[in-house]
Amino acid sequence: MSARQQVTELLRSADVEVGGERPRDIQVHDERLYQRILAEGSLGAGEAYMDGWWDVERLDELFFRTLRARLERKLRSPAVLGRVLLSRLANEQSRRRSRRVAEQHYDLSNRLYEAMLGPTMQYTCAYYGPDGANATLDAAQRAKLELIARKLHLEPGMRVLELGGGFGELARFLAAEHGCEVDSYNISRQQVEYARGLCEGLPVDVRQQDYREAARESRQYDRVVSIGLMEHVGPQNFRAFFELARARLKPGGLMLLHTIGGNVSRRSTDRWIAKYIFPGGVIPSEAQLTRAKEDLFVLEDWHNFGPDYDRTLMAWDANFVAAWPALNQSEGLDERFYRMWRYYLLSCAGAFRARKLNLWQLVLSHGDLPRYEPVR
């Protein structure tokens, strides 16, 4: 069977046609695509899209279909197996290697992120909630911030440790609207600069340091919060992460962990995502998290609102597309970047829609609370 026939049959098993008329059907512009996919799997497919070898009207629907059909399992190449072996031998998220994702991804132009994320500059899942059918992205991001604050049962004067600070909006929100003092750790130069400007005049200390530097401190905190960092911590470091958080959390305190979660325990990520978007990133599973926190924390609450990330990503994509002409002109981003960025956003949207990815918020304690009331 030819490479074209093999790939065509695989796609057909996901109800996707080559040359079809539906939004999820792909249009091939270069016949070398089929062999490239068979040889290189997801990396070859993604790079071929960036190179303009194929197109599809709805990337999100294509990925929803192919992931539901588990086509990625049928396209494993020797390179994939080699990456799995490397992940077992090396700590891909060591302090030195962890800088790669900041330099390659988070230190991109702030104008790009301002255009895509909107006023809240929240680069994690928004919370639309049970009553958010008509909510805007900005309203849903503010609802996420409020949700975090309510789950942490904050009181004025509390000291909060933030591991992975993003652009600083959560730290600003906790300080300005809840009267907390915040120490925030982040290795992204661009994000730290932005966060310091945002939090100027507030009791917020934004530190351009690896989260592991917090282990050197003797200070303890009433609350510990980590939003969107765990995906970069890595399986070999999960236990140490929870040990650090436990050591920094006062008796009677609460920790909130917000992370993308996967249904299967892995030690590496998709090759295309690792090369172009999040080098060193690994999505944790339930089993990996519970093993890592075992005998360190009591799990008070586990909240999954993964479908909200599908909606968040679609909103980011719409913002990006609308802003592209200005970004293309002012930031010097080319057509290949445009295709790469949309491939990233829409493939992830499809993964959440297929329920291959989830979004979890865990609330943890030392186990010394008489009772914790879950919040939604």
Side-chain angles (χ1 to χ4, degrees), residues 1 3 5-15 34-43 45 65-78 80-81 266 270 356:
M1 185 183 293
Q5 289 173 316
Q6 290 181 63
V7 172
T8 299
E9 287 302 314
L10 281 172
L11 290 171
R12 190 165 289 147
S13 70
D15 196 19
Y34 306 108
Q35 188 58 50
R36 192 171 183 179
I37 289 175
L38 292 180
E40 301 174 3
S42 66
L43 178 61
R65 296 278 177 170
T66 57
L67 288 169
R68 283 286 292 269
R70 300 187 173 189
L71 294 197
E72 75 281 3
R73 297 190 177 189
K74 303 172 184 177
L75 287 172
R76 289 180 177 170
S77 66
V80 173
L81 300 178
R266 304 185 189 281
D270 173 83
K356 297 295 183 179

Side-chain angles (χ1 to χ4, degrees), residues 16-17 20-29 49 54-63 314 317 321 338-339 342 346 353:
V16 174
E17 296 288 342
E21 297 180 353
R22 297 168 300 181
R24 64 177 178 269
D25 292 333
I26 74 168
Q27 313 304 318
V28 176
H29 309 308
Y49 183 82
W54 63 279
D55 276 300
V56 63
E57 184 179 338
R58 290 286 302 273
L59 272 166
D60 55 308
E61 275 296 297
L62 170 67
F63 275 94
M314 295 303 292
D317 178 67
V321 171
Y338 176 81
R339 292 177 71 86
R342 295 204 70 202
L346 295 173
R353 196 172 308 163

Side-chain angles (χ1 to χ4, degrees), residues 150-161:
R150 287 186 287 120
K151 286 183 176 182
L152 288 172
H153 297 289
L154 296 172
E155 297 176 8
M158 282 187 168
R159 301 176 80 167
V160 180
L161 172 63

Side-chain angles (χ1 to χ4, degrees), residues 355-375:
R355 303 309 301 274
K356 297 295 183 179
L357 295 177
N358 309 288
L359 191 286
W360 298 326
Q361 284 189 351
L362 285 65
V363 178
L364 305 160
S365 77
H366 286 298
D368 53 359
L369 303 178
R371 184 179 180 86
Y372 178 84
E373 293 293 343
V375 173

Side-chain angles (χ1 to χ4, degrees), residues 133-161:
N134 299 314
T136 64
L137 172 66
D138 295 338
Q141 290 290 17
R142 292 189 177 93
K144 188 261 300 291
L145 297 173
E146 285 286 2
L147 180 69
I148 291 167
R150 287 186 287 120
K151 286 183 176 182
L152 288 172
H153 297 289
L154 296 172
E155 297 176 8
M158 282 187 168
R159 301 176 80 167
V160 180
L161 172 63

Side-chain angles (χ1 to χ4, degrees), residues 101 104-106 123 232 269 273-281 344:
V101 71
Q104 180 176 327
H105 190 81
Y106 294 112
Y123 197 14
H232 305 295
T269 194
I273 288 288
K275 181 174 181 178
Y276 289 98
I277 308 298
F278 297 121
Y344 149 54

Side-chain angles (χ1 to χ4, degrees), residues 290-310:
T290 55
R291 279 197 302 268
K293 71 91 185 166
E294 187 172 328
D295 202 34
L296 294 175
F297 284 107
V298 168
L299 178 61
E300 301 287 357
D301 185 40
W302 193 313
H303 183 189
N304 183 3
F305 52 98
D308 283 7
Y309 223 147
D310 177 9

